[in-house]
Amino acid sequence: MDLHWSQPYLLLLLPFALLPWFNHSQEKTIAWSAFVPKDPWSTTVGLSLKILSSIVLISLILGLAGPYEPEKKVERLGEGAEIVLLLDRSRSMDDAFAVKTQAALVSVGKKDSKRRVAKSYLTEFVKKRPDDRFGFVLFSSQAIKLLSLTYSKEAILATINANAIGKGLKDTNMPDALIKAAEMFEDQPYRGSRIVLLVSDGGQILTEEEEKKIASLYKRMKISINWIYMSSMVGVTLDASDSDSYLWEDLPERKLHDFFNSTGIPYQAFEARSLKTFAEAIDEINQQQYQTLIVEQTLPRVSKHQPFYIIAFLAMLALTFAQVYSAWGVRKAHE
């Protein structure tokens, strides 16, 4: 046991535990020692009472010195993943989600905006995963690492909630966001499944240099990508089809989707077109990402004063009983 002391200076009082052994006040002068028979039982009892008195003093001093085990980190096996939430905070995420007409898209600040829908479902997702470690990256014109990887559910939930406040910016910097999300795992020991969960309603055409850097980072650090795509346009899909409009051929989100598929990085896209499909996407990700994970757990500081006070109490109880018994014996002797 690794004991520390909150008030170690009180340990200087420990020598006072020897006081019961200085009993000169009880010494008697006997004219003829033959009058006093040998009584080993009394000698044993007297010695025991001194020991008990010392135990009381030692226990009280140690208890008052504030013994404790300091906070420590331990590792255990759990099930889950290390997940970086990569959330689009561009202005388009303030538009209404799952609408069928262009006129209904403007819904800034209302409860059905994409960012608020994302907030609600991500909150439930985090609450369902007790062993996961979460990080959070927010991006629009720039990517910002809001929260490093942590086991604190309170911290990640507060970050998700704060992200739903205010209005988004105009531009989107997808390559910077993807790079900063991957960098969350830099210099981190590999504990198990690593995922970047991208929630966005659009994409961006990357340069060749950006594609190489992103692919290299994700492969080297063994990171998977899950993309929940919140489509803004009715009928638009990430995969091309024969019925597509020619205007959709060069959509940035399709180019990004094709890039993810071409890298060899574990990747899965979920096209959320309604609250139902968004919920289904979250549920599928939740069910998939349960692999063996080394979980680092912080054990809080533990106070250890109670056992010392219990020992002191029991010893004092024994001393009190001995004192009461002695007084009773003296009274009986004088009757």
Side-chain angles (χ1 to χ4, degrees), residues 18-38:
L18 297 174
L19 286 176
W21 299 87
F22 298 100
N23 58 349
H24 53 83
S25 61
Q26 296 180 7
E27 293 179 357
K28 306 293 181 183
T29 303
I30 305 298
W32 187 24
S33 60
F35 283 139
V36 182
K38 292 184 179 180

Side-chain angles (χ1 to χ4, degrees), residues 86-97:
L86 180 58
L87 196 59
D88 188 349
R89 197 59 187 84
S90 59
R91 190 171 298 170
S92 60
M93 289 291 286
D94 292 327
D95 293 340
F97 178 56

Side-chain angles (χ1 to χ4, degrees), residues 267-291:
Y267 165 66
Q268 189 170 4
F270 302 87
E271 299 186 46
R273 304 185 180 283
S274 64
L275 294 176
K276 181 175 182 291
T277 53
F278 196 108
E280 289 172 350
I282 287 289
D283 286 342
E284 186 172 343
I285 294 169
N286 180 50
Q287 291 168 11
Q288 287 177 354
Q289 304 303 331
Y290 273 102
Q291 300 179 25

Side-chain angles (χ1 to χ4, degrees), residues 138-203:
L138 177 73
F139 72 97
S140 54
S141 56
Q142 290 185 342
I144 303 172
K145 296 178 182 177
L146 288 184
L147 185 68
S148 298
L149 286 164
T150 177
Y151 291 105
S152 172
K153 293 297 179 287
E154 292 79 10
I156 187 63
L157 290 172
T159 306
I160 293 171
N161 189 58
N163 172 67
I165 300 172
K167 298 180 180 180
L169 301 176
K170 181 180 178 182
D171 298 323
T172 301
N173 192 338
M174 185 67 74
D176 186 38
L178 290 167
I179 290 168
K180 285 190 175 174
E183 287 175 347
M184 284 276 195
F185 298 101
E186 198 78 64
D187 301 324
Q188 295 282 332
Y190 187 82
R191 295 182 173 89
S193 181
R194 292 175 167 182
I195 303 158
V196 169
L197 177 53
L198 170 62
V199 181
S200 175
D201 64 347

